[in-house]
Amino acid sequence: MTGIAKGGPVRMCAGCRGRAGKAELIRVVARNGVGVVDEAQTAPGRGVYLHPRPDCLEQAVKRRSMGRLLRAEIDGARTAEALRVHLDALT
């Protein structure tokens, strides 16, 4: 498998459902009803991981997997917009 860190933690992308090393993914946590990026990957609570690619974000939004995986009610539109801004800043 490509993209998997040898010996490090492996997580699944909520969008494409591919596996990758934790350091290669963006962690999203629920805060005040919105999914926000956890840059340090240390925030308490449940987290969802995404590849830093727009297509993975779109797949996660389409499937509504972030709220389900976070086990929290989140505003999908506001979360998607915040994550799009974050992804744009990375490129």
Side-chain angles (χ1 to χ4, degrees), residues 44-74:
R46 205 155 183 66
V48 170
Y49 292 86
L50 287 170
H51 284 109
R53 298 189 310 244
D55 57 322
C56 286
L57 172 60
E58 296 308 319
Q59 287 177 359
V61 169
K62 182 179 175 183
R63 281 199 291 251
R64 293 181 280 183
S65 61
M66 285 190 284
R68 187 172 57 251
L69 293 170
L70 288 170
R71 297 182 185 169
E73 292 289 326
I74 60 169

Side-chain angles (χ1 to χ4, degrees), residues 27-38:
R27 183 172 188 249
V28 179
V29 295
R31 292 290 173 257
N32 300 320
V34 179
V36 296
V37 176
D38 176 15

